[in-house]
Amino acid sequence: MKKILIRLLVSLAIFIGLDLLVGIFLIPESFASFRTGHYYYHHGLLPSQDAQAAWGALIYPVHTNSMGMMDSAAYRLKKQTDNRRILVLGDSHSEGVGVPYPHTFSGRLARILEPHGIEVINASAISYSQKIEYLKAEYLIGKKGLEVDEILVPVDISDI
């Protein structure tokens, strides 16, 4: 009985060791490490992140600014600005899932409007609904003191 117990314990130790090694070397890193839950508006993005995301087999860079918004780079976003500012709120399409930020709707809009002194900031995230968009705008403007001149909420058929 003692030999059986020792063999069982050794087999279990080998199994646990191999499982650990396989997990370390074969399981890819999380491509959602920049996402987080939020107490006020359910979920969003972590601030100041330089990460990678995956959409199917496509891996693309993700950057969030200091307020947890998709952006071209991780930087400190000022709450107040002398420029005109548009806040974009939406779901995965507006976030730009599967697309590097410069090629997203918000990234292209920012590039077009920047020479005219208009700043575009993208507070969108995957699976946002109108209720979450409202709560996030209320949080950013009312609780965080973010100044915006306009809020743009692109709506698509899945929002119905």
Side-chain angles (χ1 to χ4, degrees):
M1 188 65 150
K2 189 177 178 181
K3 285 183 178 184
I4 293 173
L5 186 59
I6 290 173
R7 287 180 183 165
L8 185 63
L9 288 175
V10 169
S11 297
L12 186 62
I14 290 171
F15 176 77
I16 290 172
L18 287 174
D19 184 59
L20 180 65
L21 289 173
V22 167
I24 290 171
F25 294 110
L26 297 180
I27 297 176
E29 67 177 281
S30 172
F31 288 114
S33 63
F34 57 94
R35 299 190 186 282
T36 187
H38 196 274
Y39 76 95
Y40 197 84
Y41 53 82
H42 191 266
H43 68 282
L45 308 175
L46 291 169
S48 304
Q49 297 292 301
D50 284 314
Q52 289 188 324
W55 182 251
L58 177 67
I59 297 172
Y60 61 99
V62 169
H63 308 286
T64 61
N65 61 35
S66 61
M67 295 194 77
M69 299 179 200
M70 265 313 163
D71 221 314
S72 57
Y75 71 96
R76 181 152 186 80
L77 178 69
K78 295 178 183 176
K79 293 178 184 178
Q80 289 82 30
T81 181
D82 293 332
N83 292 333
R84 187 162 187 77
R85 182 181 275 170
I86 299 172
L87 174 66
V88 177
L89 280 166
D91 59 11
S92 57
H93 178 268
S94 298
E95 177 190 314
V97 172
V99 182
Y101 183 79
H103 303 292
T104 65
F105 167 75
S106 295
R108 290 173 182 228
L109 191 60
R111 188 173 56 249
I112 292 167
L113 296 177
E114 184 181 20
H116 303 286
I118 302 172
E119 181 182 13
V120 176
I121 52 177
N122 185 4
S124 304
I126 196 168
S127 297
Y128 270 11
S129 66
Q130 287 76 30
K131 175 70 174 187
I132 295 174
E133 292 160 354
Y134 173 81
L135 290 172
K136 188 158 188 183
E138 182 178 63
Y139 178 81
L140 291 171
I141 296 166
K143 297 193 179 296
K144 288 295 190 177
L146 182 69
E147 287 184 359
V148 298
D149 298 294
E150 297 174 47
I151 300 176
L152 176 62
V153 183
V155 179
D156 65 23
I157 192 72
S158 69
D159 293 326
I160 296 170

